[in-house]
Amino acid sequence: MELHNVNSSNISSIGYDIPSNVLRVVFSNGGTYDYFDVSEDVYKELDSADSKGHYLATQIKNVYSFKKVR
């Protein structure tokens, strides 16, 4: 999965795997999480959000199942 850096105080980079609908989020503190069954539209909305941390907190966390990668 290809990751790209984002402009955020809390999130370092994000990536998306289309075949599996997995969103990967790398936080500034180094924590990396995969969120499952995320639509490509939600990924694009996160990527274009003015506040990625706010979007993640309100639209992704506690909505999608996730796993800590590292």
Side-chain angles (χ1 to χ4, degrees), residues 5-64:
N5 294 336
V6 293
N7 184 15
S8 171
S9 61
N10 191 31
I11 299 170
S12 174
S13 59
I14 61 173
Y16 186 72
D17 184 66
I18 293 172
S20 63
N21 294 328
V22 172
L23 165 67
R24 179 163 290 173
V25 178
V26 180
F27 290 91
S28 300
N29 67 7
T32 302
Y33 290 81
D34 282 350
Y35 294 86
F36 303 101
D37 298 319
V38 177
S39 72
E40 188 175 3
D41 287 341
V42 170
Y43 164 70
K44 289 178 180 178
E45 288 173 4
L46 170 63
D47 196 25
S48 64
D50 289 335
S51 173
K52 289 161 182 50
H54 178 73
Y55 187 90
L56 183 77
T58 60
Q59 303 298 318
I60 297 173
K61 285 184 176 180
N62 300 319
V63 175
Y64 298 96

